[in-house]
Amino acid sequence: MRRCVIVSGAEIGDYAFAKSLLRDGDFNVFCDCGLRHMERLGIKADLIVGDFDSHEIPDTSAETIVLPREKDDTDTVFAVKTALARGFSEFLLVGAAGGRMDHTLGNISVLLMLDSLGCRAVLADDYSLMEVVSGDTAHIDGSWAYFSLLAVNGSARGVDIKNAKYPLENAEITGEYQYGISNETLPGRTAAVSVKEGRLLLVKVRGDILC
């Protein structure tokens, strides 16, 4: 099954990094002013959705769904739901973090929604990749400068972190005390993170952009 790439309207400063995440054969969905990223990402739209309050309706042969401006779903959420209805189960979200904090937090919730449905989803910004850790063990290789684990959906219990500078065994991370920030994979190893109960947001932070 092809992966679905959702391109939203937040700023992208490092197009080279965003392009490195793309694959041949992706199904590309552009949301409203996410269209401004199309040329610099070097991909074409398979589907365009939006209420077009921040971008003109494009003159294109690509399938376009025009949404009402007063609605429950953001353009990004609508795009994800449309892709789900078409059978997609793997997602990459770009241009979906940064700028407006409300939209960023809403798009982190999209990761939770997709995880609940058994889908694989990653959200990328200029600095990191974000994904939800729940049933399956997540691995972090040494190419990442840091990784953080955040409780974004209640408490997470039975948290194990192996092969990292700050290991954990059967620990609990709560939304009130986020002590899982800025861990590091041990040299020459691959860190492993697992959760027995609940979910965590894993943020893998790039090393090549750190000041």
Side-chain angles (χ1 to χ4, degrees), residues 19-183:
K19 289 175 68 173
S20 74
L21 304 174
L22 304 175
R23 305 174 188 163
D24 292 338
D26 284 336
F27 183 85
N28 301 311
V29 184
F30 284 83
C31 303
D32 205 322
C33 68
L35 285 162
R36 65 196 172 106
H37 300 308
M38 183 185 297
E39 182 175 355
R40 295 195 65 180
L41 287 176
I43 55 177
K44 294 183 178 180
D46 295 292
L47 173 65
I48 299 168
V49 305
D51 54 23
F52 298 102
D53 61 348
S54 54
H55 194 283
E56 68 276 6
I57 298 176
D59 181 13
T60 176
S61 60
E63 180 184 1
T64 302
I65 301 175
V66 180
L67 304 173
R69 294 189 177 181
E70 296 182 0
K71 58 189 185 303
D72 291 332
D73 292 341
T74 65
D75 296 336
T76 300
V77 170
F78 181 88
V80 169
K81 287 183 175 180
T82 300
L84 285 168
R86 297 185 183 191
F88 289 94
S89 59
E90 184 179 3
F91 292 81
L92 169 66
L93 282 67
V94 297
R100 284 183 57 174
M101 182 60 69
D102 51 349
H103 279 284
T104 297
L105 293 174
N107 291 330
I108 289 172
S109 293
V110 169
L111 296 182
L112 293 169
M113 176 183 72
L114 289 170
D115 178 73
S116 295
L117 296 171
C119 296
R120 162 81 170 152
V122 174
L123 192 160
D125 64 11
D126 287 342
Y127 306 95
S128 60
L129 295 184
M130 292 166 265
E131 61 187 279
V132 172
V133 181
S134 54
D136 296 330
T137 299
H139 297 92
I140 306 98
D141 65 38
S143 65
W144 300 97
Y146 302 101
F147 69 91
S148 296
L149 293 165
L150 298 166
V152 292
N153 188 225
S155 296
R157 299 179 179 87
V159 179
D160 289 342
I161 303 176
K162 299 178 180 180
N163 300 326
K165 184 176 182 179
Y166 306 109
L168 285 177
E169 184 175 357
N170 199 32
E172 179 178 3
I173 299 178
T174 70
E176 292 78 21
Y177 182 34
Q178 303 280 11
Y179 64 90
I181 296 174
S182 292
N183 208 335

